[in-house]
Amino acid sequence: MRLTALALATTALLAGCAIPASRPEVAPIADSALGLTGATDAAFPAIADDWWRSFGDPQLDRLVADAQAGNPTLDAALARVRQASAILASQRAEDGPNAAFDAQAQVARLSGRYQIPPPFAGTTRFIGQAQAGLNWNLDLFGRQKAVIAGARASTRAAVLDATAARLALAGSVVQTYIELARAERLAALAQQTIATRQGSLRLVQVRIRNKLASDLDAQAAQTLLAQAQQALVRATAQRELAANALAALAGRGVDYPATIVPARLQLDAALPLPATIPADLLARRADVAASLARIDAASQGRLAARRAFYPDVNLSALVGLQAIGVGNFFNADAGTAGGGGAIHLPIFDNGRLKAGLEGATAGVDIAIADYNEKVVGAVHEAADALTRIRNLAEDRARQTEVVRGLAETGRLNTIRVSSGLESRLGLVDNDVRLLDAQQSDANLAADAASQRVALVMALGGGFDPKDPK
């Protein structure tokens, strides 16, 4: 009979400890599915963490430093690192013995009809208690160790997020600075054109006074001048907006744009990069590394949820004083001490532990899906940047020919006008097209530099996987 009861009790305990089957349903995407298989390209240059210095503009270096020192988004990322580190320290504190001291003193009337014996029953007395206690969860099945490992992975993810935020911030500053340089180049083209067309207008007015030209020639020259002036207004506004954006990236106010002098970027010489995507692309990306760390954190959370089905074993001990009456409190007989162990084994919890395990498993799937989305996006960004760089190079070569051809046509037309063989009105179309072509050429130069920056960011932006900052 006793053996039967023991068998039934053991069966009940084992049933209570049974862990339901719960496995992740999403798998990390393989490198082979992304076209990144093969050996790492040893010739691929390492991207320096201060890669923007290749533009050769000290002001850009200052702007990046200011942004990394005062940008609110980066400040928030660094705060999340500190928060994750504090959570890790808190979880580590749970793994090991914890001691505490408690003391209590009060004056109370003791019941005369309870367990208090005479002469204390029915009287008002001082009641004091002071004790030091020790508690230690032995973590025999490693649940707390899994929680700590998960917190450690989350901390690493937060550090990598801060690194990715710092790299993205540098890229945003450089891209915005290129827009500033673009606007300044367009403004310079407009000013040069204004000066030329003002000279042409004065010449036309002289010819009209000499009866060598008509008011139509004057109107044509005035139209061309207005077009150039409009281009200057637009470029000036574009430059102001870029300066305001740089102030926002640096976390500064409306006085900051006044500190930004004309850019001195070496657009064509900066950032020489390879023409293929490196095989180790994913290892170069801080955001991808952060996603991997989150998979690790979620996996450790699932492991902790599984181990919650196993027993918890705790050791505890206490030593202290307990007494009724102030004088008795300091008596040797007031001493108290104890120690022992406790075990907690879940048997029936109405599905709480099972739901926790299912939720933790779903968390792993979410982390893996986020990682897959990140790596697909990384390859897409790198491929797009490479494609745009190649296309821009060809586009700009053709645009250079367009500018050269329109400039030569304008020169020949000017000779014809000065020789009286052509009216100024006939130059309007070519001059308008020439300014548009020069603006397009300036835009293509800026676009090419911007895409090289985009490629730098797509390739990791100077991230060192061996030493994330």
Side-chain angles (χ1 to χ4, degrees):
M1 185 70 178
R2 290 179 178 176
L3 291 175
T4 302
L6 180 60
L8 289 174
T10 302
T11 302
L13 289 174
L14 291 175
C17 292
I19 303 176
S22 178
R23 296 180 177 83
E25 299 179 6
V26 182
I29 192 167
D31 288 357
S32 58
L34 299 169
L36 297 179
T37 55
T40 299
D41 184 3
F44 186 91
I47 300 174
D49 57 2
D50 57 352
W51 50 267
W52 57 85
R53 294 184 183 276
S54 65
F55 282 104
D57 191 333
Q59 179 171 245
L60 176 58
D61 304 338
R62 173 180 69 85
L63 292 172
V64 173
D66 287 349
Q68 292 184 342
N71 183 268
T73 301
L74 184 56
D75 289 342
L78 294 174
R80 284 191 285 271
V81 172
R82 296 193 298 272
Q83 183 183 54
S85 297
I87 293 173
L88 175 58
S90 175
Q91 295 297 342
R92 281 174 172 165
E94 297 293 329
D95 186 31
N98 288 271
F101 174 78
D102 296 288
Q104 181 178 354
Q106 63 178 342
V107 176
R109 185 184 184 281
L110 305 178
S111 173
R113 295 293 185 269
Y114 195 48
Q115 61 186 10
I116 307 297
F120 303 110
T123 64
T124 300
R125 300 281 180 167
F126 168 85
I127 302 175
Q129 176 176 298
Q131 67 181 32
L134 178 71
N135 186 69
W136 190 355
N137 186 331
L138 298 182
D139 193 29
L140 295 180
F141 297 97
R143 178 176 180 274
Q144 187 59 29
K145 288 182 176 62
V147 171
I148 292 172
R152 185 180 298 112
S154 294
T155 301
R156 175 169 173 77
V159 171
L160 290 165
D161 280 340
T163 300
R166 184 180 290 107
L167 297 174
L169 179 60
S172 295
V173 171
V174 177
Q175 293 278 28
T176 305
Y177 196 67
I178 290 173
E179 292 305 309
L180 182 93
R182 180 203 302 269
E184 290 174 350
R185 176 57 181 157
L186 293 175
L189 282 173
Q191 289 170 338
Q192 292 171 7
T193 305
I194 287 172
T196 300
R197 292 180 179 179
Q198 284 175 337
S200 297
L201 180 59
R202 287 192 296 269
L203 179 60
V204 168
Q205 290 170 343
V206 170
R207 290 173 62 84
I208 290 175
R209 287 195 297 269
N210 294 326
K211 309 298 183 179
L212 297 175
S214 67
D215 290 339
L216 286 176
D217 293 300
Q219 187 61 48
Q222 187 63 52
T223 300
L224 291 173
L225 177 60
Q227 182 215 15
Q229 290 170 335
Q230 182 188 48
L232 178 60
V233 170
R234 291 177 176 175
T236 301
Q238 185 177 339
R239 202 260 183 200
E240 290 177 359
L241 291 174
N244 291 341
L246 288 169
L249 288 170
R252 304 298 181 87
V254 295
D255 58 334
Y256 191 75
T259 68
I260 301 175
V261 299
R264 295 187 296 170
L265 290 177
Q266 300 173 8
L267 293 180
D268 295 326
L271 304 177
L273 294 170
T276 58
I277 299 176
D280 62 342
L281 168 66
L282 302 184
R284 296 170 177 266
R285 300 265 307 219
D287 54 346
V288 171
S291 295
L292 275 175
R294 286 195 170 84
I295 293 177
D296 188 19
S299 299
Q300 293 297 332
R302 177 175 176 272
L303 181 58
R306 285 178 59 84
R307 291 176 177 174
F309 286 85
Y310 293 101
D312 274 338
V313 179
N314 290 275
L315 298 180
S316 60
L318 62 87
V319 60
L321 299 171
Q322 294 176 333
I324 299 175
V326 176
N328 293 332
F329 188 74
F330 297 100
N331 192 294
D333 285 341
T336 181
I343 184 171
H344 170 77
L345 177 67
I347 296 177
F348 177 76
D349 64 355
N350 207 29
R352 179 180 62 83
L353 291 178
K354 181 180 179 181
L357 178 57
E358 291 289 347
T361 302
V364 175
D365 283 337
I366 291 172
I368 293 175
D370 288 344
Y371 167 79
N372 290 344
E373 182 179 9
K374 188 71 68 177
V375 299
V376 170
V379 174
H380 183 207
E381 289 171 9
D384 278 359
L386 284 170
T387 299
R388 291 191 183 104
I389 288 172
R390 287 194 294 266
N391 290 340
L392 281 168
E394 296 176 5
D395 193 355
R396 193 178 177 198
R398 302 290 82 76
Q399 186 63 33
T400 300
E401 295 176 3
V402 171
V403 171
R404 185 184 302 112
L406 289 172
E408 179 62 16
T409 300
R411 186 185 70 82
L412 295 176
N413 284 340
T414 301
I415 294 174
R416 289 174 60 83
V417 170
S418 62
S419 302
L421 300 176
E422 181 70 72
S423 168
R424 174 64 58 177
L425 187 62
L427 302 183
V428 172
D429 181 64
N430 187 82
D431 286 357
V432 169
R433 292 171 59 194
L434 176 59
L435 179 57
D436 288 342
Q438 290 171 331
Q439 290 173 331
S440 295
D441 185 61
N443 282 325
L444 287 172
D447 288 343
S450 181
Q451 285 306 313
R452 289 198 296 274
V453 173
L455 181 57
V456 167
M457 302 312 298
L459 298 179
F463 169 65
D464 183 357
K466 298 178 183 177
D467 183 25
K469 297 180 179 179

